[in-house]
Amino acid sequence: MPRRRSLIAQMYGARHKAKLQRQKLEDQASRAWAEEERKASAQAAREAAQQRREEERAAPSSAPVSVTAVCSDAGSRIARLAAAASPVAAAGI
């Protein structure tokens, strides 16, 4: 004949099970809250970066860029392309 658990043991088991369930739900809520916070933080960072890029595009450059500087930075290929596209080079002068 199987042994029956006492009423106190049954109550303790139910209480323990409810406590574990409550902890599990609290952990899930905590993880969901943290995920929402991460998403909001990432969205704010993206918006700030976008705003900064828009401000950089709208602001005029403080230092003028010369054609020679661009050609020397980018290498001789750009210089050859610029020379080939000039009307003087096309005329062979």
Side-chain angles (χ1 to χ4, degrees):
M1 184 166 174
R3 185 173 168 205
R4 291 183 46 170
R5 290 175 56 190
S6 70
L7 184 57
I8 293 176
Q10 290 175 3
M11 288 173 48
Y12 176 78
R15 181 180 172 132
H16 184 68
K17 185 177 180 180
K19 181 180 177 182
L20 291 176
Q21 180 66 20
R22 186 175 54 250
Q23 287 177 341
K24 180 180 176 182
L25 291 174
E26 288 174 356
D27 289 344
Q28 286 176 347
S30 175
R31 284 192 302 272
W33 181 262
E35 183 179 347
E36 288 296 321
E37 287 295 316
R38 282 191 300 273
K39 285 181 182 179
S41 176
Q43 179 66 28
R46 283 192 299 271
E47 289 173 358
Q50 179 66 27
Q51 181 69 26
R52 189 177 59 249
R53 283 191 296 272
E54 289 174 1
E55 289 172 357
E56 288 173 357
R57 282 188 205 121
S61 177
S62 60
V65 178
S66 70
V67 175
T68 346
V70 171
C71 290
S72 65
D73 288 343
S76 63
R77 182 169 184 232
I78 293 177
R80 285 190 312 240
L81 290 173
S86 91
V88 175
I93 300 173

